[in-house]
């Protein structure tokens, strides 16, 4: 006899509320074991229920029971049995009597088979109940009351080979199980319910039968096993550990829906639009599933503590924690809620049964955003109460709208609780998916006028087909069907031609269609060996048939290296010119005639304007803090006129940046208290990070300064400096295109201006022959990069104008000392606080594709600068100054060198 332990099994403990009661007598079904292994159960407690179907002669059902479980391995020679203490109506459950007669309480595996107890007392009870025990798995009459368990165990076969018929959705994992009855040889059994009335009482009998209609008889055919098999989406099965994948896109491809599975990372809707980027909550997870035509509405599923179809839930509405939601671009968030219904039981119209969803999974939204479709994680409590376990829990397809709420689409077989809505057409009038029918799982089409209709399947293999997507007009449906043992073939269905296979790479490999273009002319998916997951993304059209996406790119003029591998295509736009998918666990987007970009790595390259504008700002910093680190008024001169020439070099090695400056100017004393100066300079910068960014800038500027000692104190100097200039720049942005580095070049004009207010207290005090002079300054600057359009490369972009405003507050102290025959030594220590902001986000568009709007965050930095300067008197009218400065920047130090010649005449 086949038993659960004959498989490699996992015993999974589930829980549910004991809130269903039904009157009736019952037959108890049980299967004995030999050499069995029980593991994974620690404790169990609950109330007697329909699963153990307590015999009526045992009296009232018990209120509760409990037991402790350890792992048991070995030969168990006895059986489980039930005793009833009629005095207090306690129910005692024991079992798995070992060879040493040690009794360990365990859960009765009543649903695992249909053998009778061999205990004589219990057999007498069954006989006295007058029930037919030949074929029934469960049977009820009107003279006993039953309630569901709080907890029970269910077996999942883990050694059985994966069956492709468990690929039920596109990219949204069902996160659950399909439960099916099997005989001891693994043959599929289905359950059926019949009612008989005698003496005013109705008995409902659940029986098992083979697909042929032949009844299963436990006495001759052996025990039956309820086996649970996990369901999968194509994406989760083919790459269960993926990082990111393209899930959906608008018809124009201007908005792309990408899910990123990195821990607590962003799930991104329109992946470079700050208005459409969302961060995972601290607990639970979230996945977006579909986007409407204009990119204004996205739907998805939130997992907050549950994982789909599972009897571990309390079987109340929403108890799984799986919830569908709709999110609008204005930030409006709406949960779709759950479904409940009370109506006559399908197996006995005289009894009211409750059906409800313990969770919802939204799979698609119509282009006009009016209709959401998906699957309810459903429990039929009526079927659960009579032991129709394979049909008591399942998925049920739905449509949802703001006006009508949920509409349940049903199943192809009225007795089955199994249908999944995968896709909807543009206006929400046609829905496609997969449902349990009389022959097996079958693709369906639904309309409000015609209801659910099966689409058939391709010949060969197990009866199975699955409709995954539909064209905008609702006339073309695509999916895949079984054509052999674990072999699938993509299909295209129309009302004229029916279901037509699209082909496979070979007789031993498969193809599955996952998406169709809006116009219905292009189909994408994966082909290859689905078992080993050695697959290639394909693109199909009527003129070229099925070919890999890389072959399509090459044929349309794109440069594709031979090493590029694209595994799975999951989405395409209106005309099939853009395809999205996943390869090696990472999202990609392929563009006709252009190549392939990887959004995870491409997006960061679009913040180039922020990086370059920060680099350009350093040119102004060099002039204000390098050449003019001291006010003109503090210069030691022999006359009321002066001339200066400065040369500065800033090596920011940690940022791969090199800046230089040359400046000349002159000054004039207006009176004994005031001096003015004006200079003209040329500066340039070169920032180069290999395969990331190259930024060159070169231009001229004017610098003016006025200084005064207005407080009748010659040691207190107030100064005001102003800076303004224009530069030409060249920005080269690098990104991966088809797996190799590509680049695009832009040449924006740059303008900068700023001012500095400063106060110095010269010779404030003395310390070991050093004159100490404290200072305080505030600098305000603006850097503007004009809008520009890149040239070259496969994916150039256009960037809008950017302005960055920066405020720097600096407090410092200068220690100065005359050194005999050397000159004047000056040591400066400054502490700076810089805060910057931009006037706008980084915005623009990727040529031929989409607009972007990336948040440009504010920044605040604290830095320390230490500088050493030596003034060497050349003659009585001139001197040469050499400055070396070290400045902390991002936990590193960068150096600045400045040489200045000053002449007073």
């Amino acid at each position: 006899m086949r038993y659960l332990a004959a498989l490699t099994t996992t015993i999974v403990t589930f829980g549910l509320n004991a809130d269903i009661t039904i009157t009736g007598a019952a037959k108890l079904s049980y299967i004995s074991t030999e050499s069995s292994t029980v593991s994974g159960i620690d404790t169990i407690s609950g109330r007697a229920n329909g699963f153990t179907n307590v015999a009526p002669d045992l009296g009232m059902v018990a209120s509760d029971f409990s037991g402790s479980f350890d792992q048991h391995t070995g030969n168990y020679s006895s059986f489980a049995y039930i005793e009833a203490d009629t005095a207090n109506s306690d129910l005692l459950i024991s079992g798995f009597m070992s060879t040493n007669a040690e009794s360990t309480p365990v859960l009765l595996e009543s649903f695992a088979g249909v053998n009778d107890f061999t205990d004589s007392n219990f057999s007498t009870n069954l006989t006295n109940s007058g029930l037919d025990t030949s074929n029934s798995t469960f049977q009820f009459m009107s003279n006993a009351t039953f309630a569901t368990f709080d907890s029970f165990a269910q077996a999942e076969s883990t050694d059985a080979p994966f069956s492709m018929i468990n690929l039920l959705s596109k990219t949204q994992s069902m996160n659950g199980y399909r439960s099916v009855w099997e005989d001891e040889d693994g043959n599929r059994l289905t359950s059926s319910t019949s009612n008989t009335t005698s003496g005013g009482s109705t008995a409902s009998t659940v029986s098992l039968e083979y697909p042929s209609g032949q009844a299963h008889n436990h006495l001759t055919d052996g025990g039956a096993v309820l086996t649970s098999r996990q369901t999968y989406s194509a994406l989760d099965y083919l790459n269960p550990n993926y990082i990111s994948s393209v899930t959906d896109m608008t018809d124009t491809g201007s908005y792309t829906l990408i899910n990123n599975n990195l821990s607590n990372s962003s799930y991104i809707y329109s992946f470079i639009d700050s208005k459409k980027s969302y961060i995972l909550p601290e607990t639970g997870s979230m996945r977006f599933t579909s986007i409407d035509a204009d990119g204004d509405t996205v739907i998805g599923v939130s997992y907050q503590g549950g994982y789909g179809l599972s009897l571990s839930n309390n079987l109340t509405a929403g108890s799984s924690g799986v919830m569908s939601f709709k999110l609008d671009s204005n930030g409006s968030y709406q949960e779709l809620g759950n479904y409940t219904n009370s109506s006559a039981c399908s197996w006995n119209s005289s009894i009211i049964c409750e059906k409800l969803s313990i969770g919802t999974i939204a799979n698609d939204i119509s282009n006009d955003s009016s209709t959401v479709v998906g699957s309810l994680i459903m429990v039929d409590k009526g079927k659960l109460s009579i032991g129709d376990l394979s049909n008591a829990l399942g998925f049920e397809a739905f449509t949802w709208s703001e006006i009508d709420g949920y509409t349940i689409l049903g199943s192809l077989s009225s007795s089955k609780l199994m249908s999944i809505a995968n896709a909807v057409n543009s206006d929400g009038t046609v829905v496609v998916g997969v449902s349990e029918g009389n022959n097996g799982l079958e693709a369906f089409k639904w309309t409000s006028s015609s209801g659910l209709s099966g689409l058939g399947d391709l010949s060969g293999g197990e009866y199975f087909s699955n409709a995954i997507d539909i064209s905008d007009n609702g006339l073309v449906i695509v999916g895949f069907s079984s054509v052999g043992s674990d072999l699938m073939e993509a299909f295209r269905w129309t009302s004229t031609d029916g279901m037509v296979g699209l082909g496979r790479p070979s007789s031993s490999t498969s193809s599955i269609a996952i998406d169709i273009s809006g116009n219905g002319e292009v189909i994408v998916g994966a082909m290859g060996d689905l078992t080993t997951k050695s697959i290639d993304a394909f693109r199909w059209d009527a003129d070229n048939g099925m070919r890999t996406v890389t072959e399509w790119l090459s044929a349309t003029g794109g440069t594709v290296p031979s090493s590029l591998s694209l595994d799975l295509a999951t989405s395409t736009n209106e005309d099939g010119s853009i395809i999205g998918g996943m390869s090696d666990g990472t999202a990609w987007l392929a563009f006709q005639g252009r190549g392939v970009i990887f959004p995870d790595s491409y997006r960061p390259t679009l913040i180039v304007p922020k990086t370059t504008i920060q680099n350009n700002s350093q040119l102004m910093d060099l002039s204000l803090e390098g050449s003019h680190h001291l006010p003109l008024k503090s210069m030691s001169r022999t006359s009321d006129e002066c001339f200066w020439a400065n040369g500065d070099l800033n090596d920011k090695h940690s940022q791969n940046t090199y800046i230089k400056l040359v400046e000349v100017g002159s000054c004039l004393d207006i009176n004994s208290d005031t001096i003015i100066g004006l200079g003209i300079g040329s500066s340039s910068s070169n920032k180069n990070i290999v395969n990331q960014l190259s930024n060159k800038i070169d231009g001229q500027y004017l610098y003016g300064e006025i200084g005064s000692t207005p407080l009748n104190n010659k040691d207190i100097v107030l100064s005001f400096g102003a800076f303004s200039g224009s530069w030409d720049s060249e920005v080269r942005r690098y990104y991966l295109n088809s797996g190799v580095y590509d680049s695009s070049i832009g040449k924006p004009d740059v303008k900068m201006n700023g001012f500095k207010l400063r106060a110095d207290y010269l010779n404030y005090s003395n310390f070991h022959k050093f004159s100490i002079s404290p200072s305080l300054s505030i600098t305000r600057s603006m850097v503007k990069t004009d809008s520009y359009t890149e040239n070259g490369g496969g994916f150039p972009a256009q960037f809008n104008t950017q302005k960055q405003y920066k405020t720097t507050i600096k407090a410092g102290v200068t220690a100065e000392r005359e050194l005999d025959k050397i000159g004047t030594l000056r040591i400066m220590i400054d502490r700076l606080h810089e805060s910057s902001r931009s006037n706008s986000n980084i915005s623009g568009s990727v040529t031929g594709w989409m607009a972007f709007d990336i948040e440009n965050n504010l920044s605040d930095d604290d830095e320390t600068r230490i500088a050493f300067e030596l003034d060497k008197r050349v003659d009585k009218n001139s001197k040469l100054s050499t400055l070396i400065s070290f400045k902390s920047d991002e936990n590193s130090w960068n150096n600045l060198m400045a040489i200045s010649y000053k002449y007073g005449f």
Side-chain angles (χ1 to χ4, degrees):
M1 175 178 291
R2 180 179 182 225
Y3 180 66
L4 295 181
L7 300 171
T8 302
T9 60
T10 301
I11 304 298
V12 186
T13 301
F14 300 100
L16 52 108
N17 280 341
D19 57 357
I20 301 174
T21 59
I22 185 170
T23 58
K27 163 196 166 183
L28 179 62
S29 299
Y30 179 71
I31 186 168
S32 61
T33 73
E34 293 181 0
S35 187
S36 59
T37 298
V38 179
S39 62
I41 300 178
D42 294 322
T43 61
I44 188 167
S45 63
R47 294 164 62 179
N49 75 337
F51 301 142
T52 48
N53 299 315
V54 181
D57 286 358
L58 292 178
M60 297 176 58
V61 298
S63 59
D64 61 75
F65 69 91
S66 63
S68 298
F69 296 83
D70 299 317
Q71 179 166 319
H72 303 281
T73 303
N75 294 320
Y76 296 92
S77 59
S78 191
F79 48 84
Y81 62 94
I82 294 178
E83 296 178 352
D85 185 337
T86 55
N88 55 25
S89 299
D90 286 342
L91 179 66
L92 307 178
I93 298 183
S94 300
F96 284 103
M97 305 293 290
S98 65
T99 54
N100 63 3
E102 178 182 355
S103 176
T104 303
V106 299
L107 174 67
L108 290 175
E109 303 280 359
S110 62
F111 57 85
V114 289
N115 275 7
D116 294 334
F117 274 107
T118 57
D119 176 72
S120 58
N121 292 331
F122 186 75
S123 298
T124 300
N125 288 335
L126 280 178
T127 302
N128 293 339
S129 70
L131 301 178
D132 176 12
T133 64
S134 60
N135 294 314
S136 303
T137 304
F138 299 95
Q139 190 171 23
F140 291 85
M141 296 184 71
S142 58
N143 58 344
T145 299
F146 306 94
T148 59
F149 266 130
D150 287 327
S151 301
F152 69 97
Q154 183 175 18
E156 175 195 349
S157 175
T158 57
D159 69 337
F162 171 78
S163 174
M164 295 301 167
I165 67 170
N166 290 328
L167 294 180
L168 299 182
S169 66
K170 174 182 176 180
T171 58
Q172 176 60 53
S173 173
M174 291 293 102
N175 290 304
Y177 298 85
R178 293 181 58 240
S179 296
V180 295
W181 286 104
E182 295 178 350
D183 69 8
E184 63 180 9
D185 296 320
N187 298 312
R188 176 76 178 274
L189 299 172
T190 59
S191 59
S192 61
T193 307
S194 61
N195 299 316
T196 57
T197 302
S198 175
S201 298
T202 299
S204 298
T205 302
V206 180
S207 301
L208 299 180
E209 60 185 31
Y210 292 94
S212 63
Q214 176 186 350
H216 173 265
N217 188 323
H218 71 277
L219 298 177
T220 58
D221 298 329
V225 177
L226 185 69
T227 301
S228 294
R229 293 178 177 173
Q230 187 172 0
T231 61
Y232 295 84
S233 70
L235 186 151
D236 286 319
Y237 166 67
L238 293 173
N239 200 318
N241 299 315
Y242 72 95
I243 296 172
S244 61
S245 177
V246 175
T247 301
D248 198 10
M249 65 178 69
T250 57
D251 281 347
T252 62
S254 59
Y255 286 99
T256 306
L257 191 59
I258 295 178
N259 278 314
N260 190 309
N261 279 351
L262 290 176
S263 176
N264 215 42
S265 63
S266 297
Y267 280 93
I268 306 169
Y269 157 49
S270 182
F271 72 95
I272 47 180
D273 187 336
S274 65
K275 297 178 182 178
K276 312 270 174 59
S277 297
Y278 300 93
I279 306 298
L280 285 175
E282 290 297 325
T283 59
S285 63
M286 179 185 296
R287 180 178 290 182
F288 293 138
T289 55
S290 186
I291 185 175
D292 68 356
D294 57 10
D296 277 345
T297 302
V298 65
I299 61 169
V301 180
S302 173
Y303 300 88
Q304 299 295 327
Y307 291 95
L309 181 56
S310 167
L311 292 176
S312 61
N313 315 116
N314 289 326
L315 300 190
T316 57
S319 60
S320 70
V322 179
M323 177 61 66
S324 297
F325 62 85
K326 185 166 71 79
L327 188 62
D328 295 329
S329 60
N330 61 7
S332 174
Y333 175 87
Q334 178 181 5
E335 292 184 347
L336 303 192
N338 277 278
Y339 171 85
T340 59
N341 176 264
S342 295
S343 59
C345 299
S346 60
W347 46 272
N348 189 336
S349 60
S350 65
I351 301 175
I352 299 300
C353 285
E354 184 183 15
K355 289 173 65 177
L356 57 86
S357 64
I358 60 176
T360 63
I361 299 175
N363 286 329
D364 198 18
I365 187 172
S366 59
N367 276 354
D368 63 6
S369 72
S370 65
T371 306
V372 177
V373 303
S375 301
L376 298 170
I377 306 170
M378 189 74 79
V379 55
D380 185 326
K381 288 193 172 183
K383 290 183 178 179
L384 191 65
S385 69
I386 63 170
D388 190 5
L389 301 182
S390 63
N391 297 312
L393 286 93
F395 304 110
E396 192 149 6
F398 72 81
T399 66
W400 179 94
S401 69
E402 291 276 3
I403 298 175
D404 299 325
Y406 283 109
T407 298
I408 304 303
L409 306 189
S411 298
L412 291 174
S413 173
S414 59
S415 64
K416 306 296 182 182
L417 193 62
M418 176 59 208
S419 61
I420 295 170
N422 282 319
V424 62
N425 72 326
S426 183
D427 62 2
T429 57
V430 186
V431 180
V432 298
V434 62
S435 174
E436 186 93 39
N438 293 326
N439 296 318
L441 290 170
E442 183 178 356
F444 73 76
K445 171 186 176 183
W446 178 92
T447 64
S448 58
S449 58
S450 302
L452 218 63
S453 58
L455 304 183
D457 81 332
L458 299 176
S459 61
E462 185 174 359
Y463 194 96
F464 170 77
S465 61
N466 187 3
I468 295 294
D469 201 16
I470 186 171
S471 61
D472 284 351
N473 59 16
L475 300 179
V476 185
I477 299 169
V478 298
F480 46 89
S481 176
S482 174
V483 292
S485 178
D486 278 341
L487 293 175
M488 294 290 165
E489 183 170 345
F491 70 73
R492 181 178 184 269
W493 184 96
T494 63
S495 59
T496 302
D497 300 327
M499 188 177 291
V500 177
L502 302 183
R504 294 178 287 145
S506 69
S507 60
S508 61
T509 55
S510 300
S511 62
I512 56 174
I514 296 179
D515 203 57
I516 186 172
S517 60
N519 61 16
E521 297 180 359
V522 175
I523 301 168
V524 300
M527 61 182 182
D529 190 329
L530 301 184
T531 302
T532 63
K533 303 178 184 179
S534 176
I535 55 176
D536 288 298
F538 78 75
R539 183 186 188 272
W540 179 97
D541 60 56
D543 293 333
N544 300 284
M546 185 178 292
R547 53 183 173 171
T548 66
V549 171
T550 53
E551 289 172 341
W552 163 68
L553 287 171
S554 297
T556 57
T559 301
V560 181
S562 58
S563 60
L564 180 66
S565 174
L566 302 176
D567 297 340
L568 178 65
T570 58
S571 186
T572 186
N573 66 333
E574 164 66 24
D575 60 4
S577 62
I578 305 176
I579 299 173
M582 178 189 63
S583 185
D584 293 328
T586 301
W588 54 262
L589 289 163
F591 294 77
Q592 180 171 302
R594 297 172 66 181
V596 180
I597 60 173
F598 301 89
D600 291 345
S601 61
Y602 185 85
R603 179 183 181 271
T605 71
L606 295 172
I607 65 169
V608 158
K610 180 176 182 177
T611 304
T612 57
I613 209 168
Q614 290 172 344
N615 183 48
N616 297 340
S617 177
Q618 293 169 7
L619 284 177
M620 185 163 21
D621 293 343
L622 182 62
S623 178
L624 295 177
E625 302 299 333
S627 299
H628 303 287
H629 60 281
L630 293 175
L632 293 176
K633 184 66 177 173
S634 66
M635 290 172 52
S636 176
R637 295 178 289 117
T638 58
S639 64
D640 58 3
E641 297 176 1
C642 73
F643 166 83
W644 74 81
N646 297 329
D648 292 65
L649 176 64
N650 187 197
D651 175 9
K652 298 178 73 66
H653 185 70
S654 66
Q655 298 180 8
N656 301 91
T657 305
Y658 304 92
I659 307 171
K660 60 183 179 181
L661 172 153
V662 176
E663 178 184 305
V664 296
S666 64
C667 63
L668 175 67
D669 286 344
I670 302 300
N671 52 46
S672 60
D673 292 324
T674 305
I675 184 176
I676 61 172
L678 182 65
I680 184 171
S682 176
S683 60
S684 63
S685 174
N686 188 353
K687 185 181 185 72
N688 188 13
I689 304 177
V690 176
N691 291 331
Q692 292 187 32
L693 168 68
S694 174
N695 177 208
K696 298 178 181 178
I697 181 170
D698 188 7
Q700 291 75 45
Y701 65 88
L702 290 173
Y703 175 78
E705 184 178 322
I706 181 170
S708 180
T709 54
L711 303 177
N712 296 321
N713 186 334
K714 299 299 183 182
D715 291 328
I716 297 180
V717 177
L718 303 179
S719 60
F720 173 81
F723 178 97
S724 181
S726 298
W727 288 259
D728 297 322
S729 71
E730 178 183 286
V731 181
R732 180 184 291 270
R733 180 176 59 92
Y734 292 88
Y735 46 84
L736 285 175
N737 180 359
S738 302
V740 297
Y741 280 104
D742 196 358
S743 63
S744 299
I745 299 175
K747 296 184 177 182
D749 293 329
V750 177
K751 295 180 176 61
M752 290 184 276
N753 55 65
F755 65 86
K756 178 171 69 174
L757 291 170
R758 174 167 175 152
D760 288 80
Y761 199 134
L762 305 180
N763 306 314
Y764 175 75
S765 65
N766 291 283
F767 180 76
H768 290 284
K769 299 183 180 180
F770 280 91
S771 173
I772 306 301
S773 302
S775 63
L776 180 66
S777 68
I778 180 170
T779 303
R780 175 73 169 171
S781 62
M782 185 276 291
V783 180
K784 175 186 176 185
T785 302
D786 289 339
S787 61
Y788 66 98
T789 300
E790 296 175 330
N791 294 307
F795 298 93
Q798 175 268 321
F799 293 90
N800 295 328
T801 298
Q802 276 284 300
K803 292 182 180 179
Q804 184 188 59
Y805 300 91
K806 183 168 70 173
T807 301
T808 302
I809 300 175
K810 182 181 70 173
V813 62
T814 300
E816 186 176 301
R817 177 180 178 180
E818 293 291 336
L819 301 178
D820 295 339
K821 300 181 181 180
I822 296 177
T824 302
L825 174 64
R826 191 173 293 113
I827 302 174
M828 292 164 283
I829 301 176
D830 299 315
R831 183 63 175 170
L832 297 81
H833 175 77
E834 293 182 347
S835 61
S836 62
R837 67 175 181 84
S838 178
N839 68 315
S840 63
N841 289 336
I842 299 171
S843 61
S845 62
V846 179
T847 305
W849 178 30
M850 68 182 301
F852 58 86
D853 188 348
I854 304 173
E855 186 174 357
N856 195 0
N857 294 324
L858 302 176
S859 65
D860 287 278
D861 297 301
D862 292 302
E863 299 175 340
T864 300
R865 187 185 72 158
I866 301 175
F868 302 91
E869 185 174 34
L870 182 63
D871 288 347
K872 177 65 176 178
R873 179 70 62 179
V874 177
D875 56 39
K876 68 174 184 177
N877 293 320
S878 61
K879 63 182 177 181
L880 185 66
S881 298
T882 303
L883 173 73
I884 299 177
S885 175
F886 302 92
K887 184 178 179 182
S888 67
D889 189 0
E890 298 179 356
N891 299 318
S892 62
W893 289 84
N894 299 285
N895 57 355
L896 178 150
M897 294 183 61
I899 298 177
S900 177
Y901 175 76
K902 302 178 179 67
Y903 180 81
F905 53 91

